[in-house]
Amino acid sequence: MSDTDRHQDQSPATAAAGTKPSFELGTGPGRVLVWFYGVFTVAAASRSVVEVIRGFDRAPLAYSLSAVAAVVYGFITYSLVRGGEKARRAALVCCAAELLGVLVVGAWTLAEPSAFPDSTVWSDFGMGYLFIPVILPVTGMIWLRRAKRA
């Protein structure tokens, strides 16, 4: 079944023929991930817009990283909702990139705080967001790897 066919209902004849429906990424625990990623998309995008309006020149690196986080969160949200194997693989790559970003930015903000006159979503490993930015990609990768086996 292709990605484009996954939204169509499966007829009893197709089910009887043994064709397995594709795994829906946004179901079960995936629905919670969609919710968290959706909230973080809005939070990071809103934060970056406000920061840019209030004075981008004050901390351009931090504000740019918040915008990048918003784009990554948005893409993962879209992929989880879309479903299908291509979307699953793309979301898995983005979750890995997100985790790498959180770890690099988190370590960088601790090692050289002067590089970040203002915080980002990923500063201090997401401490300002209850460490959800470091937990979310790990949870997402676990869910997406499980989805491959289903």
Side-chain angles (χ1 to χ4, degrees), residues 18-147:
T19 305
K20 185 177 176 184
S22 66
F23 186 83
E24 295 291 332
L25 298 175
T27 61
R31 188 168 291 172
V32 175
L33 282 173
V34 168
W35 184 85
F36 267 105
Y37 272 113
V39 167
F40 269 74
T41 300
V42 172
S46 301
R47 177 185 182 139
S48 66
V49 167
V50 168
E51 290 169 337
V52 167
I53 290 171
R54 291 179 71 200
F56 182 74
D57 56 333
R58 195 171 89 215
L61 178 59
Y63 301 159
S64 297
L65 287 171
S66 289
V68 167
V71 170
V72 170
Y73 292 145
F75 184 79
I76 294 171
T77 304
Y78 169 77
S79 296
L80 289 169
V81 169
R82 184 168 190 275
E85 183 57 21
K86 283 183 184 178
R88 187 196 67 78
R89 284 190 308 240
L92 189 58
V93 168
C94 280
C95 283
E98 174 194 357
L99 180 60
L100 180 64
V102 172
L103 295 175
V104 168
V105 171
W108 192 0
T109 56
L110 293 176
E112 192 178 341
S114 63
F116 296 89
D118 206 353
S119 63
T120 74
V121 175
W122 295 342
S123 292
D124 304 319
F125 305 104
M127 186 170 62
Y129 291 87
L130 304 174
F131 297 104
I132 294 172
V134 78
I135 296 167
L136 200 54
V138 173
T139 307
M141 287 189 294
I142 291 168
W143 174 247
L144 292 163
R145 288 186 50 81
R146 179 192 173 279

